[in-house]
Amino acid sequence: MSDHAQTSRQKQDFEQTLESSDSSVAQFEHKQRNLFDSVQHFLHGNPTMVPIIVLVFSIVIFGFVAGAKFFSPFNLSLIMQQVSVIGILAAAQSLVILTAGIDLSVGAIMVLMSVIMGQLAITLGVPAPLAIAIGCVGGIAAGAMNGFLVTRIKLPPFIVTLGTWNIFFALNLWLSGAQSIRSQTLDEIAPLLKFFGESIAFGGARITYGSILMLVVFGVLWYILNHTSWGRHVYAIGDDKEAAELSGIRTNRTLIMVYGLAGLVCGIAAWASIGRVGSVSPQSFQEANLQSITAVVIGGISLFGGRGSIIGPLIGALIVGVFNSGLRLAGVDVLWQVFAIGWLTIIAVAIDQWIRKVSA
């Protein structure tokens, strides 16, 4: 065989091998991308679909278990009322978690600001609108302090907010003397503080202004995060802070603003909490921090930051409300309601981990 013929034969064999290899790779990829992987890819691109699916299934299941009472307009509106304050706190928590941080002080900020509003209006005679405004500004200051310690002193968010939780809680007890301001006193002197506890009747349902406020807060934050450059910066920091800095984003300033905005939302939640409880209670919402994190996790926002929709925690809060309402109507003890929510949280984190492992 001549050299030319041998070279041609080798070239032909190489091309056949290459074609066979390409075909094998294509078949392998085709076999690998099954229905299970397709679902994983879909959920990775649409993380809010997980809580939506869970919410729909929960409503259907508890509708069968608890009966017609569950679907009554009054019960459905009651669920909205019950989750309104925690839902607003979850919105504040979401802002921080999107940056790959965490804020254990949101509940303490809320209760402290409610005490400040009550003490200013009732004890010092400050006009209620001004007392509310001061409480909201105080929330901004408390959140910005968290942000300053995280960005300038370089302390971990978990440690910072764990410490400030104790600080804010101590200030709360000191300012209030561990005494509540009763509903009758608020009605006589500052009824505006209870505004978000008032409701309107609609087709058998009673919709409180606090429930409407929760929807407005989520709507505003959704617009900010999805339709402003600042919102895109928040996601970029959560995804990769170093890369965000290299792209020109002023990460420290943005983080301080995130914590400050979260504090403002906590101040708004403080006003809503007075209406929800009907009084200014320094002992209320003791588990608000954990409940807000639960709503965020169930809502599909990743604890690693940079992924998830702000609407997810709203759905997460509703899921918790549906579970509590459905189990209560089914006659399940409160202990097992907490048990169920605990497992729901663990499963939500496991699903988030699974979705994050999606192949590119």
Side-chain angles (χ1 to χ4, degrees):
M1 181 183 294
S2 65
D3 292 341
H4 178 72
Q6 185 176 5
T7 301
S8 299
R9 179 63 180 272
Q10 289 176 345
K11 182 177 180 181
Q12 184 178 5
D13 291 343
F14 176 75
E15 291 175 349
Q16 290 177 350
T17 303
L18 185 61
E19 290 176 359
S20 176
S21 175
D22 291 341
S23 177
S24 299
V25 171
Q27 291 177 0
F28 177 76
E29 290 179 347
H30 178 72
K31 291 179 181 179
Q32 285 297 103
R33 180 63 71 87
N34 52 29
L35 178 62
F36 191 75
D37 293 325
S38 297
V39 171
Q40 187 181 23
H41 277 75
F42 173 75
L43 294 179
H44 183 269
N46 303 274
T48 310
M49 287 304 301
V50 175
I52 289 177
I53 293 171
V54 173
L55 179 61
V56 171
F57 272 96
S58 300
I59 292 174
V60 172
I61 291 172
F62 286 118
F64 282 110
V65 173
K69 288 183 179 180
F70 180 81
F71 289 110
S72 68
F74 176 78
N75 184 63
L76 295 177
S77 63
L78 182 61
I79 292 174
M80 288 285 290
Q81 294 176 35
Q82 292 172 337
V83 305
S84 59
V85 175
I86 297 301
I88 297 172
L89 276 186
Q93 187 72 255
S94 301
L95 292 169
V96 178
I97 290 181
L98 281 172
T99 65
I102 195 167
D103 192 341
L104 300 179
S105 68
V106 290
I109 293 175
M110 178 188 72
V111 177
L112 176 59
M113 294 310 128
S114 70
V115 168
I116 288 175
M117 292 177 187
Q119 291 295 325
L120 287 173
I122 304 303
T123 305
L124 300 180
V126 175
L130 180 58
I132 293 168
I134 292 174
C136 290
V137 172
I140 296 173
M145 184 177 79
N146 285 337
F148 177 83
L149 293 172
V150 169
T151 58
R152 304 301 181 183
I153 312 300
K154 305 296 182 183
L155 299 178
F158 181 91
I159 300 301
V160 167
T161 56
L162 180 62
T164 55
W165 177 88
N166 287 280
I167 293 171
F168 299 145
F169 182 70
L171 288 174
N172 158 36
L173 295 179
W174 174 65
L175 289 173
S176 64
Q179 299 295 316
S180 298
I181 299 176
R182 294 183 298 178
S183 178
Q184 295 85 345
T185 305
L186 292 175
D187 288 335
E188 293 173 0
I189 302 176
L192 182 62
L193 292 179
K194 294 176 60 179
F195 172 76
F196 287 112
E198 298 178 7
S199 61
I200 54 177
F202 182 78
R206 297 203 65 86
I207 302 174
T208 62
Y209 294 124
S211 301
I212 298 173
L213 174 67
M214 176 182 67
L215 298 178
V216 170
V217 168
F218 274 101
V220 171
L221 292 180
W222 176 85
Y223 179 84
I224 291 174
L225 290 172
N226 290 277
H227 294 281
T228 67
S229 58
W230 186 84
R232 290 189 289 273
H233 293 171
V234 171
Y235 277 97
I237 292 172
D239 188 51
D240 191 329
K241 184 181 177 183
E242 289 73 20
E245 289 177 346
L246 292 174
S247 67
I249 297 174
R250 300 178 65 176
T251 56
N252 286 342
R253 187 180 71 170
T254 302
L255 282 173
I256 292 176
M257 292 175 66
V258 165
Y259 280 92
L261 179 57
L264 172 60
V265 176
C266 290
I268 296 172
W271 186 10
S273 71
I274 297 174
R276 175 63 189 155
V277 177
S279 63
V280 178
S281 174
Q283 305 291 345
S284 61
F285 296 100
Q286 292 294 315
E287 298 181 356
N289 293 324
L290 295 179
Q291 291 173 343
S292 69
I293 296 173
T294 299
V296 172
V297 171
I298 295 175
I301 288 186
S302 175
L303 289 173
F304 298 95
R307 190 176 66 84
S309 170
I310 189 64
I311 301 300
L314 171 60
I315 301 172
L318 291 175
I319 290 172
V320 174
V322 166
F323 263 72
N324 288 334
S325 176
L327 292 173
R328 185 186 69 255
L329 291 176
V332 178
D333 189 86
V334 175
L335 172 66
W336 297 111
Q337 295 178 30
V338 177
F339 180 85
I341 297 301
W343 275 111
L344 185 63
T345 305
I346 293 173
I347 292 171
V349 174
I351 292 174
D352 176 64
Q353 292 280 5
W354 173 65
I355 293 174
R356 286 178 62 86
K357 293 179 181 178
V358 65
S359 58

